[in-house]
Amino acid sequence: YAFALLALQVGLNFWAALPLAALIAGCFAFVIGVTVLRLRGDYFAVVTLGFAEILRIVLLNWGSLTGGPNGINGIPRPTLFNLSFDRAPATGLTSFHDFFGLEFSSSTRVVFLYYLVLVLVVLVHFFCTRLRQLPLGRAFEAIREDDRASEAVGINLTRTKLAAYVIAAVLGGAAGAFFATRQGFISPESFTFLESALVLAVVVLGGMGHPLGLACAAIFLVGL
């Protein structure tokens, strides 16, 4: 939603709106995380899902900003160096097929989106791999294994969990921005409890801390 509003109401393109949307998601996570990260186990999960449901209801009822149940349509597609993959590009853009003298094909945009998300996934994988080698990443792994032992050796649980929460939200916000631009349309029905359950199922099946396993689990479950 942040990406869609930035693109349509502020007029930012994909490359400018993507980091801002991710940053907005991180800010929301910081505000929520300060209040809920002191909880543990089932209580933490229930409160987190509660906030997600509250947000969905806000999106559903704040019609003047979010379009309510009708959602937001006409979200612009990403461009490549000012080249648009639409048949009729927006003002100020040049169509990809005209620039290269090709016949228009809708599959060209699909191929571009595929390689775009592939690059984003590789960058996220590189970021997470490097993060695990830093002291902060070591602290994440220590808390995952035994949070009480981690606290006993001097790791600040609240700050470290908050950092993990915000980083995860930033990456999730970037993924949500790509989802919005790929669909060209979003509505509150795009963010139901089933979506959260699917993501959780991917993590459980793929295994926490195993990027390749998570990728395989995502392909398997989404494929089903």
Side-chain angles (χ1 to χ4, degrees), residues 21-30 162-176:
L23 182 62
I24 290 172
C27 292
F28 269 93
F30 179 83
L162 184 60
Y165 204 63
V166 171
I167 291 173
V170 168
L171 298 179

Side-chain angles (χ1 to χ4, degrees), residues 154-167:
I155 296 177
N156 189 309
L157 291 184
T158 302
R159 291 182 181 178
T160 307
K161 287 183 177 181
L162 184 60
Y165 204 63
V166 171
I167 291 173

Side-chain angles (χ1 to χ4, degrees), residues 34 62 66 73 80 93 106-107 180 186 189 208 224:
V34 168
W62 198 353
T66 67
N73 198 8
L80 177 65
L93 298 178
S106 58
S107 62
I186 54 172
E189 298 304 316
M208 291 187 296
L224 288 179

Side-chain angles (χ1 to χ4, degrees), residues 108-127:
T108 305
R109 182 175 62 194
V110 177
V111 173
F112 169 67
L113 290 176
Y114 169 79
Y115 282 109
L116 175 60
V117 74
L118 182 62
V119 169
L120 293 177
V121 168
V122 170
L123 290 176
V124 169
H125 174 70
F126 176 77
F127 170 78

Side-chain angles (χ1 to χ4, degrees), residues 4-66:
L5 294 174
L6 288 171
L8 292 176
Q9 298 193 10
V10 183
L12 300 180
N13 60 26
F14 172 79
W15 303 104
L18 175 66
L20 288 178
L23 182 62
I24 290 172
C27 292
F28 269 93
F30 179 83
V31 173
I32 296 174
V34 168
T35 61
V36 305
L37 284 175
R38 299 183 185 277
L39 303 174
R40 296 184 179 183
D42 297 338
Y43 300 101
F44 171 73
V46 170
V47 172
T48 302
L49 291 174
F51 272 108
E53 186 64 15
I54 290 171
L55 180 59
R56 189 186 68 83
I57 293 175
V58 170
L59 295 176
L60 189 63
N61 289 279
W62 198 353
S64 60
L65 180 68
T66 67

Side-chain angles (χ1 to χ4, degrees), residues 138 209-210:
R138 301 295 187 187
H210 299 85

